Amino acid sequence: MEQIVEKYINPLTDFGFKRIFGTEFNKELLISFLNALFEGEQEVEDVNYLNSEVFGANEVARKAIFDVYCQTVDGGKFIVEMQNAYQEFYKDRSIYYSSFPINQQGRKGDWNYELQPVYTIGILNFSLPEDKNNPASLYREVKLMDIKTHEVFYDKLTYLYIELEKFNKTETELETMLDKWLFVLKNLSNLMSRPAQLQERVFTKLFEAAEIAKFDSNELRSYEQSINAYRDIKNSLDTAKKEGKAEGRAEGFVEGMEKGMEKGMEKGMEKGKAKERSDTAKKMKIKGLDLNLISDITGLSIDEIEQL
């Protein structure tokens, strides 16, 4: 097995993410993270973990497998997912997954269709295509909205997306609990000790749960498999980016050549037309035609014709 040199797990791996947020023993960490996301708008007091493998309405329907799936004491359902690589239909997938906790609330017999809130939380280790050049899009909260009034039409369906790669605060810049959690998610595996800025009790538990030296043999084996899978994804993405840049440079060169040739041809044609107009004007002038008439026919000015 490969020697692991890091002191703490990488939360961006499947094993690391679920160890921190997906176990009953560590649910205090999940509650703290959720409350940091809501920044006082609401308070999550407790959660019950639900089966993360959710089946469709019948045997042939597709199923969904969530990273973390839980329910609060007031019935609100939360899907929390870590996504390391962009998928073309990621937003479609996110919307589709949210349909499962909605559908599960259906009741047979008399039912007034009242639903409990559903929250889909995506921690994205990439930028959505429309946000690549927008550093302000680190955090998105999406609800159903009336496009004319810009008022929320339905507040029980919420999508929260965090584009983690855009979070670049250092230890000394951490202010809010959300800052601290995002710093941990992005940097935990690179730390050798607990930063002074993370003094809250919840982070004491986090660093204890994340210390690789405390893993038993089965946990260590599972983590090694998970970190290898994560590295494979990362290496594939890095390679694709390099190839994309190289291809982009090649395409840019070809495009530049094509544009250069096109511009050259345009300039050559323009010069040819200008010479043709000049020769035509000179012949008309020699024949004694009126200069204003020559100007109208050739498009040359009176001064240009007089200089021929």
Side-chain angles (χ1 to χ4, degrees), residues 46 50 70-78 101 105 115-119:
D46 195 9
L50 304 174
C70 64
Q71 179 174 293
T72 59
V73 291
D74 60 0
K77 296 180 184 293
F78 288 78
Q105 297 183 54
L115 295 172
Q116 296 300 321
V118 172
Y119 299 88

Side-chain angles (χ1 to χ4, degrees), residues 126-143:
F126 57 86
S127 295
L128 293 168
E130 61 269 33
D131 294 340
K132 282 190 178 297
N133 299 318
N134 180 15
S137 63
L138 167 69
Y139 178 88
R140 277 177 173 261
E141 181 176 357
V142 180
K143 293 179 182 287

Side-chain angles (χ1 to χ4, degrees), residues 9-28:
I9 57 175
N10 187 336
L12 306 184
T13 63
D14 183 65
F15 178 94
F17 190 79
K18 290 177 181 176
R19 184 176 180 87
I20 291 174
F21 291 133
T23 64
E24 185 70 26
F25 182 74
N26 290 328
K27 72 177 180 180
E28 177 186 353

Side-chain angles (χ1 to χ4, degrees), residues 54-56 62-64 66 96-104:
V54 183
F55 293 87
R62 291 184 64 88
K63 67 180 179 180
F66 308 131
Y96 174 70
Y97 270 27
S98 70
S99 69
F100 284 84
I102 294 173
N103 187 60
Q104 284 180 331

Side-chain angles (χ1 to χ4, degrees), residues 23 39 46 90-91 97 99 116 124 150 153 164 166 173 195 198 212 254 256 263 289:
T23 64
E39 297 180 313
D46 195 9
Y90 169 73
K91 286 185 283 187
Y97 270 27
S99 69
Q116 296 300 321
L124 315 180
H150 292 179
F153 174 74
L164 193 60
K166 293 181 179 177
E173 296 172 320
L198 305 179
I212 297 173
V254 172
K263 287 183 179 179
L289 295 180

Side-chain angles (χ1 to χ4, degrees), residues 174-210:
L174 305 180
E175 298 175 354
T176 66
M177 277 296 287
L178 183 57
D179 283 347
K180 295 177 181 181
W181 269 112
L182 297 186
F183 178 84
V184 165
L185 290 174
K186 190 167 185 178
N187 298 289
L188 181 59
S189 62
N190 298 321
L191 300 175
M192 294 307 296
S193 61
R194 176 181 171 184
Q197 287 75 11
L198 305 179
Q199 289 305 308
E200 290 81 0
R201 186 179 64 85
V202 69
F203 292 117
T204 301
K205 185 162 189 175
L206 168 69
F207 278 86
E208 290 176 353

